[in-house]
Amino acid sequence: MYNYTHYPAVISPQDPTLLIGSSLVATCTLSPDAHLRAEDLYWTLNGRRLPAASYAALGPTTLSVALARLNGSKQQSGDNLVCHSRDGGILAGSCLYVGLPPEKPVNITCWSKNMKDLTCKWAPGTEGETFLHTNYTLKYKLRWYGRDNTCQEYHTAGPYSCHIPKDLALFTPYEIWVEASNRLGVAVSDVVMLDILDVVTTDPPSDVHVSRVGDLEDQLSVRWSSPPALKDFLFQAKYQIQYRVEDSSEWKVVDDVGNQTSCRLAGLRPGTVYFVQVRCNPFGIYGSKKAGIWSDWSNPTAASTPRSERAAGGCDPKGGEQNTTLRRELKQFFGWVKKHAYGCSNLGIKLYDQWRVWLQKSHKTRNQVGKEPFTLLFPGSGGDAG
């Protein structure tokens, strides 16, 4: 029985959901009070008039339209199929939802900020939400016992993400999965098993300071503090530094900083402003064997190297001198050490600094270090030259 309460006609079926490639026959049936006949009607789909050849009068007050091999909906709210009177008036409407069942979500990755919470991201299946709106639900439970829990805070780290803010157990693995559902079905991801201790990340290192190393033209000292949020936990940390010159967008990364909280950048350009960032990877928390997850980079900190004392407009060194390699300079350094140092115990960063000052004062051309910067990681380095 048709319901004509709000419109002078009714379309059947009302708001159907169909697979891509399906065919559909829809009917528009007029109410007895419409004072119209089937020949007074026409159809539109998304505002576009459908050809009369696809119509069929099924009675004096009913007009059908045949739609073959439907494409996916142009909008997730559905395609608008409308029955009109001859003068263009809208008599009734129906939404067509044409698409595909959801595919299982993939690439679930999770991280815990300082062991206090858990955030997970995933990727939709190949088609994703191309045609039909898809709902995603992240679920989790303790591996060997406990009930299913549903994550509540979505879109916290992008469109396909969810945040679990509290009440997480340590030393016990979790099972985590994502369910995708739309009008045509449900798909479930593979289950990911993880221990919170294996996916810990932290805040960027704080108190990053970049300063000159005395009058050395090609060096900067970088210091920072270890992550305060993890100070009460048993863990290791490793750090990375990246830096760039002021007028460049290209960052250079120093990978071999290790667990030190200071580092010396060398081989830099004299009289140049550098931006420096540091990030931390807390690993081995309570004996975890996993690699850990890098934090975000710290905010950029700027400092400049001292200007070269070479007179402006002076002749440039010869090409061969200009391309002196780090290997050659280190060879010079160790030769100098034999004359000026006694015993391996004296081989430290301060000794290197003395040699650099000696080198700069004893040659008219300075900064003959190779163009590629390098990092000094002598034990106990990080302070300015004494």
Side-chain angles (χ1 to χ4, degrees):
M1 182 175 182
Y2 297 116
N3 183 353
Y4 301 102
T5 303
H6 302 293
Y7 296 98
V10 168
I11 291 178
S12 180
Q14 186 65 214
D15 302 338
T17 300
L18 304 160
L19 283 168
I20 290 175
S22 299
S23 297
L24 173 70
V25 176
T27 60
C28 178
T29 301
L30 296 161
S31 78
D33 301 328
H35 307 297
L36 294 169
R37 298 179 62 82
E39 57 264 29
D40 299 323
L41 310 179
Y42 71 91
W43 293 88
T44 63
L45 181 62
N46 291 332
R48 195 170 175 183
R49 189 161 179 161
L50 296 172
S54 61
Y55 305 165
L58 303 183
T61 58
T62 300
L63 183 70
S64 70
V65 63
L67 303 172
R69 297 182 297 279
L70 288 166
N71 295 319
S73 295
K74 296 185 181 299
Q75 49 207 18
Q76 291 186 358
S77 57
D79 292 337
N80 297 315
L81 180 65
V82 179
C83 176
H84 298 265
S85 60
R86 182 175 295 172
D87 62 1
I90 296 175
L91 303 176
S94 177
C95 287
L96 307 185
Y97 298 95
V98 185
L100 297 169
E103 297 183 20
K104 72 177 186 179
V106 295
N107 299 334
I108 299 175
T109 57
C110 304
W111 62 93
S112 174
K113 193 72 167 291
N114 302 319
M115 295 186 289
K116 295 179 180 179
D117 63 359
L118 189 68
T119 300
C120 295
K121 295 177 67 175
W122 61 89
T126 305
E127 297 294 340
E129 300 184 53
T130 306
F131 306 111
L132 300 178
H133 174 70
T134 302
N135 290 311
Y136 294 91
T137 304
L138 185 140
K139 294 187 176 182
Y140 61 101
K141 70 172 185 176
L142 291 170
R143 181 177 181 186
W144 291 297
Y145 56 90
R147 58 182 178 80
D148 293 1
N149 298 280
T150 301
C151 185
Q152 301 295 329
E153 299 181 9
Y154 290 88
H155 314 300
T156 54
Y160 305 106
S161 65
C162 197
H163 176 239
I164 304 168
K166 59 182 180 178
D167 299 329
L168 293 164
L170 302 179
F171 306 103
T172 303
Y174 278 92
E175 294 182 355
I176 298 174
W177 67 97
V178 178
E179 297 178 358
S181 62
N182 67 16
R183 289 172 170 266
L184 286 170
V186 177
V188 181
S189 73
D190 295 335
V191 175
V192 172
M193 285 184 288
L194 62 84
D195 191 311
I196 300 297
L197 299 178
D198 293 336
V199 293
V200 176
T201 187
T202 189
D203 302 300
S206 58
D207 300 324
V208 178
H209 297 284
V210 184
S211 58
R212 294 180 177 182
V213 184
D215 293 328
L216 296 179
E217 304 163 354
D218 66 340
Q219 297 186 28
L220 289 173
S221 173
V222 186
R223 294 183 180 187
W224 60 91
S225 299
S226 59
L230 296 175
K231 64 183 177 62
D232 296 328
F233 298 99
L234 181 64
F235 77 102
Q236 303 174 60
K238 55 185 176 182
Y239 299 93
Q240 279 185 341
I241 297 174
Q242 68 174 9
Y243 62 96
R244 64 175 175 86
V245 297
E246 183 179 28
D247 56 356
S248 171
S249 60
E250 180 182 352
W251 293 90
K252 294 183 178 180
V253 177
V254 180
D255 286 314
D256 55 354
V257 181
N259 63 357
Q260 299 183 85
T261 55
S262 62
C263 180
R264 189 79 66 83
L265 301 177
L268 306 178
R269 284 163 31 186
T272 303
V273 175
Y274 283 87
F275 290 96
V276 180
Q277 293 179 294
V278 185
R279 66 177 181 174
C280 174
N281 183 334
F283 68 98
I285 294 180
Y286 291 127
S288 170
K289 302 299 183 183
K290 299 296 183 180
I293 298 175
W294 287 104
S295 71
D296 293 332
W297 290 102
S298 63
N299 291 326
T301 301
S304 63
T305 51
R307 292 187 177 277
S308 172
E309 296 178 2
R310 187 174 59 189
C315 294
D316 287 332
K318 295 180 180 179
E321 294 175 334
Q322 205 168 22
N323 293 323
T324 300
T325 63
L326 173 61
R327 183 185 299 273
R328 183 177 301 173
E329 180 169 338
L330 289 176
K331 185 176 180 181
Q332 294 174 355
F333 169 56
F334 288 115
W336 182 87
V337 166
K338 290 180 180 179
K339 297 179 180 180
H340 295 81
Y342 303 93
C344 294
S345 60
N346 291 326
L347 184 57
I349 192 66
K350 290 186 177 181
L351 186 60
Y352 178 82
D353 292 345
Q354 294 170 14
W355 174 72
R356 288 291 302 164
V357 172
W358 172 83
L359 182 68
Q360 290 177 1
K361 289 181 177 179
S362 61
H363 294 280
K364 293 182 180 180
T365 57
R366 294 174 172 82
N367 194 34
Q368 296 299 300
V369 182
K371 291 185 178 180
E372 284 300 317
F374 59 93
T375 309
L376 296 180
L377 293 172
F378 289 103
S381 68
D384 291 346

